[in-house]
Structure formats: structure tokens, C-alpha cells
Amino acid sequence: MTAVPGYVPPVTRATFRRTAIIGAAVALVAVAVLVPLGYGLFALFGCVGIALGILNSAFAMGSVVRFSHGAAAPSKAKFSGGVLVRLAVITVVAFGCAFLVRPQGVAVFVGLAVFQLLATVSSILPLIKEIRQK
């Protein structure tokens, strides 16, 4: 079976889309709840964390597509380096927010954690559907 360059399986696209939409909805709810309570910066940095999670997920998906459709022998070192750079940038941004805007900047980590939880649950859903069909 020959792989199509740039091909992303439909279930992967659907999972990413579902996670991004739910993440955006959670961010909107956080803003709607926290801003009237006087915690606008917490809401802002939580949204930044969710956005960083969405960006990381999109870049990871693109990285996997490039790795799987690269040259005859894709470079594992280049792939690993890309992963490390991407995670390092996200970490620097998150720690920068946390240290520069205390204590509200810590909400970036909350946003990242919420997105990771959403991504995990969202990726499990197709699996549960498949198991229930059998």
C-alpha cells in the first residue's frame, strides 16, 4: 500500500477538530465565568495555554505527516529534534508567562493541562465506539 503525501487519516483529523472545538468552547466558558468575577488575566492566560495546546497538536500532526512521507529513510534524529524544539518553545512561553505575570500567568499551565485532558478523552472516544460495535 502506497502512502499519499500529506494524507492524514480521517479519524485523526476528526479527533483534532473535535478537541480544538471543545478547547475553544472551554476557553469561552472560562472567559465568560472568570472575567465578571474579576479574574480576567487568569482567563486570558488559561486561553493562552489552551491555544498553545492546540498549536502543539497541529504541529505534531504535521510533523508526523512529514516524517511518514519523507524521503526513503526518514531521519529519526530530525523528527526528535523537531519534537524537542516544539516542546521547548511551549515550555519557555509557559514559564515566561508564569514568571513575568505572577500569579495569573500560572493559568497557562492550567490551560495546557485542560487541553491535554480534552485531547486524551477525545482520542479515546473513537476507540470506545469501535469496542461497543463488536
Side-chain angles (χ1 to χ4, degrees), residues 45-46 48-50 52-53 86-113:
F45 286 112
V48 169
I50 290 173
L52 285 173
R86 188 176 67 248
L87 292 178
V89 167
I90 290 171
T91 302
V92 166
V93 169
F95 274 113
C97 290
F99 285 123
L100 294 176
V101 186
R102 291 183 198 167
Q104 297 91 346
V106 174
V108 171
F109 292 106
V110 175
L112 283 166

Side-chain angles (χ1 to χ4, degrees), residues 3-4 14 25 27-28 43-44 51 55 58 67 71 74 81 97 100 109-110 112-113 117 120 123:
V4 178
L28 286 175
L44 172 70
L55 282 173
F67 179 76
C97 290
L100 294 176
F109 292 106
V110 175
L112 283 166
L117 178 66
T120 302
S123 64

Side-chain angles (χ1 to χ4, degrees), residues 30-128:
V31 167
V33 170
L34 294 175
V35 169
L37 294 174
Y39 295 107
L41 282 177
F42 280 107
L44 172 70
F45 286 112
C47 291
V48 169
I50 290 173
L52 285 173
I54 292 170
L55 282 173
N56 181 46
S57 186
F59 287 147
M61 194 167 46
S63 180
V64 169
V65 167
R66 281 189 307 278
F67 179 76
S68 63
H69 299 295
S75 169
K76 291 179 185 178
K78 187 175 179 182
F79 179 75
S80 299
V83 170
L84 289 175
V85 167
R86 188 176 67 248
L87 292 178
V89 167
I90 290 171
T91 302
V92 166
V93 169
F95 274 113
C97 290
F99 285 123
L100 294 176
V101 186
R102 291 183 198 167
Q104 297 91 346
V106 174
V108 171
F109 292 106
V110 175
L112 283 166
V114 166
F115 181 80
Q116 288 304 313
L117 178 66
L118 291 173
T120 302
V121 170
S122 185
S123 64
I124 290 173
L125 292 177
L127 201 71
I128 291 172

